[in-house]
Amino acid sequence: MLLISLWNKKPVWDVSLRFPNLLLILVIINSILIFKSLVFAKTVTKPGKKAGKSGKSLYPLRSIVLESEEINEQLYGKILAKLKVLADCDAVMILLPENSHYKLIDSRGEMPPAISGARFQMRDEKLLIKFPGNLGEEEVGKPSHKAGPINFKSAITRLEFTLFPLRLKSQSFGLLLFTSKEKHKAPALPFSSTTLYLETVAAMVAAVSASGDLRYKDKSTGLLKFDCFNDSFETEIERSERYQQELTLFSVKISFCEESSEEQRQSLQKAAAVALKQSLRRLDLMFCGQQDCEFIAILTETSAEVAEIVAQRVQKSFARQLEKAEINSKGKNILFIGSASYPTNATHGHGLLEMSREALAQAEKEEKEFVSYSLNE
C-alpha cells in the first residue's frame, strides 16, 4: 500500500520518503524473514523427527513383562510372537550361547528347512553357521553391538536372514534372528531399542533363574527340593523321547555324613552342591535327595560316556571344596556317584531311577567314585 501511494504521488503520511531508501528497507526486512532460522538459530526450536523414520514402534512389547505372572523363559515366546508381527517375517528365533555353540531357546513362525537343522557357533570371534547334510559351513559375520544388524545371504542354500546381536551380561553374544522362506526383507525395527529390550529381559530371566523361588529351593544348598524331582524328571524323559536325545541320571551320596557332626554335615552338603553347580551345565537339573547328604542330577542331552567325564569333574571340584572347608576325609572316597542313561539302560523314568540307585549302591559297596549301570550288563 505504501508503494502504491508513492507511485501515485499521494503518500499516506505527510512526509517525504525517497524511493531507493524505502526499497532498501523492504529488502532488509524480507531478508530477515527468509533467513530467520539462521539469524535466530539460538531461539528457534527445531522440529523433532517423526517416529516412523527410525522404525516401527515397540509399544506392543511394553505390557508383556507387566502382565506375566512369572519371570521365566516363557517370556521369550510371547515377545517373539509380537516381534514376528512387527517385523513382518515368516519366523523369528532367539538363541543363547552354550559353551562354543548356540542353543535355540524359543521361536515363532515356520522355519525355513535350511535353518531347522543348522547350528551356530563362535570361532575366532566370528559367527559361523553349519548346515546339516554335509553341506558345509559359512561365516555369518562378526557380531558387534555397535555395528548394528547383520544381513546374511547364503551361497550354499537359499537361506536369508537378519541377525540382531544381543550383548549379554556374561559378555557373550545372544542371537535374535529374523527370516523368511522367500524374498526376505530386513525388519523395519529400531536396532538399539529392540536389542536393549531383549538384553534386559535376558538379564531378568537369568537373575530370577539364579535366585530361584524359595518355595522350591533348599535354603542351605540352593538346589531344588526333592518334591520337584518327579515332575521335572517326567518332563525331561518326554522331551528326550520326542527329540530322540540321550539323558543321564546321577544318584549322588556322601557316606561320610553318618560319622560327622551336624555342622560338618552341613558343610559337606554345601561342598557337594557347589561341586554339582560348578561341573554341570546351565540346562542340567540338580535336586536334593530324600535323605540328608543325598542328591539327584538330571543331565540332559548327555550320553553315558560324557556322564563319566562330568562325574570326574564333580569329584575334583568336591575335593577342592573339602580343602577349603578343612574337612579331613581320612583318605577315603566319601562321595559316590551312580549313573544310568536313557534309552541305553531304560526307556521309562521309573526304571532309569532304579538303575541309577543300583549303580550308586555298587559304587558304595566297591568304594568306587563312579559306577555306570552300563558296566553292570
Side-chain angles (χ1 to χ4, degrees):
M1 292 177 61
L2 184 60
L3 287 174
I4 293 173
S5 62
L6 290 175
W7 184 265
N8 295 328
K9 297 180 181 181
K10 295 179 181 180
V12 292
W13 295 293
D14 190 13
V15 294
S16 59
L17 291 175
R18 296 181 63 188
F19 184 77
N21 292 342
L22 182 61
L23 188 60
L24 178 61
I25 293 172
L26 293 175
V27 170
I28 293 173
I29 293 174
N30 280 296
S31 299
I32 292 174
L33 293 174
I34 294 172
F35 299 103
K36 65 177 180 178
S37 60
L38 297 176
V39 176
F40 303 106
K42 293 183 179 180
T43 59
V44 176
T45 303
K46 294 183 179 180
K49 294 182 179 180
K50 294 183 179 180
K53 292 184 179 180
S54 60
K56 293 183 179 180
S57 171
L58 299 179
Y59 183 81
L61 300 178
R62 296 188 64 181
S63 61
I64 293 178
V65 176
L66 294 176
E67 295 177 356
S68 298
E69 296 180 0
E70 296 182 7
I71 303 298
N72 51 36
E73 290 189 349
Q74 293 182 357
L75 281 175
Y76 292 127
K78 300 176 182 178
I79 294 170
L80 295 181
K82 295 285 187 182
L83 286 177
K84 178 180 176 295
V85 176
L86 294 174
D88 191 22
C89 60
D90 290 342
V92 57
M93 64 176 72
I94 184 168
L95 303 98
L96 296 181
E98 184 179 274
N99 299 325
S100 60
H101 293 80
Y102 281 87
K103 181 177 179 63
L104 177 63
I105 302 300
D106 210 330
S107 64
R108 286 296 181 273
E110 190 174 355
M111 297 293 170
I115 205 172
S116 298
R119 299 187 67 182
F120 291 89
Q121 69 176 114
M122 291 290 294
R123 188 190 305 158
D124 300 329
E125 297 184 354
K126 296 178 181 178
L127 181 65
L128 304 174
I129 179 172
K130 186 175 182 180
F131 296 105
N134 297 324
L135 292 177
E137 63 181 24
E138 285 186 276
E139 179 182 334
V140 176
K142 189 174 182 180
S144 173
H145 182 71
K146 296 180 180 179
I150 299 173
N151 293 312
F152 173 77
K153 185 175 182 180
S154 174
I156 299 175
T157 67
R158 296 181 180 179
L159 179 63
E160 295 183 46
F161 59 77
T162 300
L163 193 68
F164 281 22
L166 306 174
R167 188 69 178 179
L168 304 178
K169 190 177 180 181
S170 59
Q171 302 302 317
S172 56
F173 282 101
L175 308 177
L176 177 62
L177 190 148
F178 302 89
T179 184
S180 298
K181 290 184 176 181
E182 295 180 357
K183 298 180 181 180
H184 171 72
K185 295 181 181 179
L189 295 174
F191 174 74
S192 298
S193 300
T194 305
T195 53
L196 177 61
Y197 181 84
L198 265 298
E199 289 164 358
T200 304
V201 171
M204 290 174 56
V205 172
V208 173
S209 177
S211 60
D213 193 330
L214 295 179
R215 294 175 300 174
Y216 305 111
K217 283 200 173 183
D218 180 69
K219 294 181 180 179
S220 60
T221 61
L223 302 182
L224 292 168
K225 294 181 179 179
F226 181 75
D227 296 338
C228 306
F229 170 72
N230 288 331
D231 291 339
S232 299
F233 189 41
E234 290 179 5
T235 301
E236 294 302 327
I237 288 290
E238 291 176 1
R239 184 176 298 169
S240 296
E241 182 178 357
R242 184 184 307 120
Y243 297 107
Q244 297 182 353
Q245 295 173 340
E246 293 181 289
L247 178 147
T248 297
L249 184 67
F250 274 0
S251 292
V252 185
K253 183 178 180 180
I254 308 173
S255 62
F256 195 59
C257 281
E258 300 172 357
E259 307 171 11
S260 306
S261 62
E262 180 64 27
E263 183 179 353
Q264 195 174 39
R265 187 183 296 113
Q266 292 181 358
S267 298
L268 286 168
Q269 291 188 114
K270 288 181 180 179
V274 171
L276 289 170
K277 291 177 182 177
Q278 290 181 346
S279 305
L280 274 63
R281 302 167 304 170
R282 180 175 60 89
L283 298 176
D284 297 329
L285 301 175
M286 294 152 278
F287 305 84
C288 295
Q290 287 181 295
Q291 306 295 331
D292 287 343
C293 297
E294 291 183 0
F295 308 92
I296 302 176
I298 303 174
L299 282 66
T300 59
E301 302 179 20
T302 304
S303 63
E305 293 77 12
V306 176
E308 185 173 0
I309 298 174
V310 176
Q312 293 173 359
R313 291 203 300 260
V314 173
Q315 291 287 358
K316 291 179 181 179
S317 179
F318 181 70
R320 290 194 297 268
Q321 299 304 317
L322 292 183
E323 291 180 3
K324 291 181 181 179
E326 297 181 352
I327 298 176
N328 184 11
S329 61
K330 301 178 182 179
K332 296 181 180 180
N333 294 330
I334 63 174
L335 183 70
F336 299 100
I337 303 175
S339 170
S341 298
Y342 169 91
T344 306
N345 305 129
T347 56
H348 55 89
H350 182 71
L352 190 66
L353 180 60
E354 283 188 358
M355 293 176 182
S356 177
R357 287 173 174 171
E358 287 181 18
L360 173 61
Q362 182 180 348
E364 285 188 276
K365 182 179 180 181
E366 299 179 2
E367 294 188 358
K368 292 183 178 180
E369 291 183 343
F370 173 77
V371 171
S372 174
Y373 188 83
S374 60
L375 301 178
N376 301 333
E377 297 177 348

